[in-house]
């Protein structure tokens, strides 16, 4: 017997059932991460039964997650362990899966390339295969967290209007290469088995939940400490790269919207603006009344990468047209929100 191939385009009966039956059940991988926290908030507020995959026999992020989301059920599992994914899917029986788990730090991926491939690349295969093998190919919708790092920011493949869903890929790191595998295996399961797998090609998104190992949060947390007199300088790598930065809360709404469509598809989510790290520094320091940030910043090659992505700019036109996706927070608003949040944290004596 051939594979079950649901016709998502014409299945209006299924569509209306799907919508009238929501809120439903969701499983989130990477629930302890930045986007995991934002999507957990959105799904809980929408009335979903939310399950989260949590890795390790002891995970230091577990207690804060349980305190913030007592309604969420955590299931032990790991994207590199197919049996644990089958178990998680059978326990949660999800209508929607948000696959946010990954080794997500580009610099770290150069130092741990095989781990990155196993989690960020093969982990996607393990997940879609677990959905298929548990007989859910025709009823579980999957969001795959693809990334602008798949484009690479090179002169030859960079459209002036920004990267879109049809742009050429040229990843520049083990992370980008692993994500490209994840992107294509997700699309392959959509095409081969008719599975509802949508890939969001998301440009950088930040906010108060961002890990301090990423440049924006490293800056805003340091700026708050410098303003409080508890830190002297920030040590960074290259300052000239440009990124298309948005607010994570806006972007997880786009993820959810992708899974509420009639058909699975790929969408770029981006702000359509690009800014250098120097511009981010300028605004962050200005927020605490420091106009000349240069005396507070040192550079160290330890934070530079063997290959850099020089500039990223995305074109979110398709998501705006098809999903009616909109952003509430612009670049200035993002920097201010993050600095203000970290000033409050530092004042409260909280550690990161
Ligand atoms: P993040 O904060 O780094 O979170 C990564 C999550 O992955 C954490 O919950 C981590 O769990 C989990 N994880 C790591 N290894 C795992 C494994 N072996 N099995 C299961 N889970 C594992 O990342 P984020 O910023 O929220 O990003 C969410 C997703 O979007 C990632 O896939 C990322 O690559 C992608 N993405 C992010 C951006 C962005 O700008 N933020 C842009 C494009 C795409 P622990 O707590 O146990 O470490
Ligand atoms: O680096 C430069 C660094 O690590 C941004 C991930 O969420 O977005 C993220 O990847 C830029 C790079 O983010 C430091 O070289 C300078 O040019 O904050 P980042 P990223 O590499 O853009 C994409 C879309 C993802 O998918 C990823 O998962 O900042 N930079 N000095 C530095 N970066 C860091 N981390 N630390 C520094 O000290």
């Amino acid at each position: 017997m051939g594979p079950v191939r649901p016709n998502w385009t014409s299945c209006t009966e299924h569509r209306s059932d799907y919508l009238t039956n929501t809120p439903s059940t969701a499983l989130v991988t990477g629930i302890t991460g930045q986007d995991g926290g934002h999507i957990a908030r959105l799904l809980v507020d929408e009335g979903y039964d939310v399950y989260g995959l949590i890795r390790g026999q002891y995970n230091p992020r577990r207690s804060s997650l349980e305190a913030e989301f007592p309604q969420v059920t955590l299931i032990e599992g790991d994207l590199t362990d197919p049996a644990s994914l089958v178990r998680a899917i059978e326990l949660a029986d999800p209508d929607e899966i948000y696959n946010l788990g990954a080794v997500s730090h580009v610099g770290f991926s150069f130092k741990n390339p095989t781990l990155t491939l196993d989690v960020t690349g093969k982990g996607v295969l393990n997940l879609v295969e677990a959905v298929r093998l548990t007989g859910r190919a025709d009823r579980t919708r999957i969001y795959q967290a693809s990334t602008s790092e798949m484009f690479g920011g090179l002169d030859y493949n960079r459209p002036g209007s920004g990267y879109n869903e049809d742009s050429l890929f040229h990843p520049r790191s083990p992370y980008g290469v692993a994500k490209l595998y994840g992107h294509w295996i997700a699309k392959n399961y959509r095409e081969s088995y008719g599975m509802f797998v949508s890939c969001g090609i998301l440009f950088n998104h930040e906010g108060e939940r961002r890990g301090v190992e990423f440049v924006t949060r490293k800056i805003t947390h340091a700026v708050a400490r410098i303003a409080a007199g508890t830190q002297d300088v920030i040590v960074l790598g290259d300052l000239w790269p440009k990124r298309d930065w948005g607010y994570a809360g806006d972007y997880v709404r786009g993820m959810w919207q992708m899974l509420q469509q009639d058909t699975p598809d790929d969408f770029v989510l981006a702000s359509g603006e690009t800014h250098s790290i120097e511009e981010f520094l300028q605004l962050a320091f200005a927020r605490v009344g420091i106009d000349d940030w240069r005396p507070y910043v040192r550079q160290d090659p330890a934070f530079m990468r063997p290959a850099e992505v020089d500039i990223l700019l995305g074109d979110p036109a398709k998501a705006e047209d098809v999903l009616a996706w909109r952003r509430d927070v612009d670049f200035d608003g993002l920097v201010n929100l993050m600095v203000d949040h970290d000033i409050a944290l530092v004042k409260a004596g909280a550690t990161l």
Side-chain angles (χ1 to χ4, degrees):
M1 197 180 102
V4 181
R5 290 177 190 276
N7 183 351
W8 299 100
T9 333
S10 61
C11 196
T12 48
E13 202 176 315
H14 174 96
R15 162 79 175 154
S16 58
D17 276 359
Y18 188 78
L19 286 181
T20 49
N21 285 341
T22 52
S24 42
T25 302
L27 172 65
V28 179
T29 75
I31 195 158
T32 54
Q34 169 188 252
D35 292 1
H38 281 284
I39 198 86
R41 170 56 53 218
L42 181 153
L43 294 170
V44 166
D45 289 350
E46 289 287 334
Y48 279 68
D49 286 334
V50 181
Y51 292 78
L53 191 79
I54 187 154
R55 73 180 172 127
Q57 59 186 30
Y58 170 72
N59 191 315
R61 292 168 160 172
R62 183 180 195 122
S63 51
S64 58
L65 192 69
E66 284 175 337
E68 183 176 2
F69 299 109
Q71 323 83 329
V72 170
T73 306
L74 296 176
I75 304 175
E76 288 82 6
D78 194 299
L79 283 164
T80 62
D81 183 337
S84 76
L85 298 177
V86 167
R87 177 176 171 273
I89 289 164
E90 285 181 336
L91 278 172
D93 192 16
D95 302 296
E96 298 174 7
I97 297 179
Y98 295 84
N99 185 32
L100 310 179
V103 169
S104 78
H105 192 278
V106 174
F108 179 85
S109 79
F110 282 101
K111 297 165 189 158
N112 294 264
T114 309
L115 175 69
T116 305
L117 174 63
D118 286 346
V119 180
T120 305
K122 278 167 64 186
V124 185
L125 172 63
N126 292 339
L127 184 71
V128 291
E129 188 64 354
V131 170
R132 191 179 76 85
L133 291 176
T134 53
R136 288 162 173 83
D138 60 345
R139 60 189 171 95
T140 296
R141 297 177 172 213
I142 303 171
Y143 172 82
Q144 169 54 25
S146 294
T147 171
S148 52
E149 284 290 308
M150 300 187 308
F151 294 125
L154 294 152
D155 284 345
Y156 85 93
N157 76 340
R158 198 170 66 222
S161 54
Y163 289 110
N164 62 33
E165 294 77 8
D166 300 320
S167 299
L168 281 178
F169 296 123
H170 186 142
R172 299 266 291 161
S173 63
Y175 169 75
V177 174
K179 276 287 180 185
L180 193 52
Y181 173 81
H183 183 73
W184 279 111
I185 201 69
K187 284 171 75 99
N188 179 256
Y189 270 58
R190 185 201 300 166
E191 292 168 5
S192 305
Y193 303 113
M195 286 169 62
F196 193 117
V197 189
S198 287
C199 300
I201 306 175
L202 270 52
F203 284 65
N204 296 57
H205 44 279
E206 320 288 319
E208 70 281 13
R209 294 180 187 269
R210 190 55 145 156
V212 79
E213 68 272 30
F214 298 95
V215 77
T216 54
R217 190 71 193 282
K218 186 172 172 182
I219 292 171
T220 61
H221 190 243
V223 164
R225 285 172 50 85
I226 287 168
T230 53
Q231 184 170 331
D232 298 328
V233 291
I234 320 176
V235 184
L236 297 171
D238 288 317
L239 305 182
W240 45 265
K242 290 183 150 188
R243 290 291 181 271
D244 179 325
W245 276 303
Y247 177 55
D250 289 337
Y251 286 53
V252 299
R253 195 174 344 105
M255 295 175 188
W256 178 76
Q257 287 177 293
M258 286 179 215
L259 295 198
Q260 313 314 308
Q261 301 304 299
D262 289 342
T263 52
D265 204 347
D266 303 328
F267 294 94
V268 161
L269 299 185
S271 76
E273 284 180 29
T274 188
H275 298 276
S276 67
I277 295 155
E278 293 191 345
E279 288 173 82
F280 195 100
L281 282 163
Q282 177 70 45
L283 285 181
F285 274 99
R287 188 70 174 172
V288 297
I290 297 173
D291 290 331
D292 183 9
W293 53 268
R294 290 188 187 274
Y296 298 96
V297 174
R298 280 214 319 264
Q299 286 181 276
D300 185 331
F303 295 108
M304 296 172 189
R305 294 160 187 187
E308 183 54 85
V309 171
D310 293 355
I311 172 166
L312 286 176
L313 173 67
D315 174 4
K318 179 177 170 186
E320 289 172 350
D321 289 352
V322 178
L323 306 177
W325 180 66
R326 298 286 178 269
R327 297 167 300 285
D328 289 335
V329 181
D330 64 8
F331 180 61
D332 288 29
L334 172 69
V335 179
N336 292 345
L337 169 162
M338 291 179 71
V339 173
D340 294 352
H341 177 83
D342 283 341
I343 288 172
L345 268 191
V346 169
K347 277 193 182 140
T351 48
L352 284 180

